[in-house]
Amino acid sequence: DDIKGKVRLHTPRHKIVGTSEHIAFSRSGFVYAFVRLGFELDPGEEARSQKYGFASAKFTIHLWGEGNLQPSIYDLYPYEINHGKPSSVKLKLEPSITLVSGAGASLGGLETDMVVGQVAPTVRGFKGDEERTPYWNLQSHRESPLYGLRHFWVLIEAPQKLKRCYLIPFVETTMQSAWGLIPLGPDIDQVEHRPRYVIDFA
């Protein structure tokens, strides 16, 4: 049987974090953008009926600016998760900016609660080379299969003179089948030719 899984990238969503005298930023002269990213893994009915599915996935983002002005990843979520239950992430703006795992009721104020969907039993996040190529490694488990929606968050730090930056997210996966592991990757090999998402700071 020809079993093929589908990977669907979601359009990134972002929010520019406004400066305020009540917020103590780590570095002056920089602006920040809070970005939600996501994708979905669909092994298909035929694969599920035969108890096949995705074994692992790697979600990567390429981030760059213009000329000599380059953004970087200030923070990301999740760094490490070892359970398959829904969680939440808070964008905490005071006294500094950070992404923290939420627990219990909202603290209100300048914190914003964002729900993170189902995650794999094992997720590891990295900022990547020069803190501009963040990626997450996901592993499946029989008690929590790797399929459905996955959400990730990054907090981008950029020089105030930078008018915009660009994101290219993509997913590489391996799918388990009767014949072993099948690698699946983007249709377009060259990163610069893949669809890009623009974040305007100006």
Side-chain angles (χ1 to χ4, degrees), residues 1 5 20 31 37 41-42 56-57 64 68 71 74 99 107 118 122 125 129 138 144 147-148 165 169 174 181 190:
D1 294 330
S20 168
V31 292
L37 305 126
L41 300 172
D42 183 1
S56 64
W64 73 98
N68 294 326
Y74 179 87
L99 295 175
L107 299 180
Q118 285 290 112
T122 303
D129 294 338
L138 297 85
S144 183
Y147 70 88
C165 71
T174 56
L181 295 175
Q190 294 181 321

Side-chain angles (χ1 to χ4, degrees), residues 129-147:
D129 294 338
E130 298 181 343
E131 298 184 335
R132 292 210 309 267
T133 55
Y135 64 93
W136 291 265
N137 289 327
L138 297 85
Q139 295 291 329
S140 188
H141 190 276
R142 63 181 179 274
E143 295 180 358
S144 183
L146 184 54
Y147 70 88

Side-chain angles (χ1 to χ4, degrees), residues 17-27 32 74 91-100 107-111 155:
V17 181
T19 57
S20 168
E21 61 182 7
H22 302 297
I23 302 172
F25 291 99
S26 291
R27 291 198 290 174
Y32 298 82
Y74 179 87
L91 173 64
K92 190 173 182 181
L93 300 179
E94 192 174 22
S96 60
I97 308 177
T98 185
L99 295 175
V100 296
L107 299 180
L110 292 177
E111 290 193 355
L155 190 58

Side-chain angles (χ1 to χ4, degrees), residues 44-61:
E45 292 299 328
E46 186 176 358
R48 282 194 291 269
S49 67
Q50 298 187 39
K51 300 185 189 251
Y52 298 141
F54 292 96
S56 64
K58 181 180 180 182
F59 182 46
T60 306
I61 305 165

Side-chain angles (χ1 to χ4, degrees), residues 53-56 139-140 173-184:
F54 292 96
S56 64
Q139 295 291 329
S140 188
T173 66
T174 56
M175 195 169 181
Q176 182 67 55
S177 74
W179 308 278
L181 295 175
I182 301 173
L184 300 173

Side-chain angles (χ1 to χ4, degrees), residues 65-142:
E66 298 177 322
N68 294 326
L69 299 175
Q70 296 297 326
S72 63
I73 298 298
Y74 179 87
D75 200 3
L76 58 80
Y77 185 89
Y79 274 114
E80 179 177 347
I81 292 183
N82 293 298
H83 60 77
K85 298 179 181 179
S87 184
S88 65
V89 58
K90 295 179 188 292
L91 173 64
K92 190 173 182 181
L93 300 179
E94 192 174 22
S96 60
I97 308 177
T98 185
L99 295 175
V100 296
S101 177
S106 172
L107 299 180
L110 292 177
E111 290 193 355
T112 301
D113 291 352
M114 300 292 181
V115 175
V116 174
Q118 285 290 112
V119 297
T122 303
V123 179
R124 296 290 185 276
F126 304 87
K127 290 186 177 181
D129 294 338
E130 298 181 343
E131 298 184 335
R132 292 210 309 267
T133 55
Y135 64 93
W136 291 265
N137 289 327
L138 297 85
Q139 295 291 329
S140 188
H141 190 276
R142 63 181 179 274

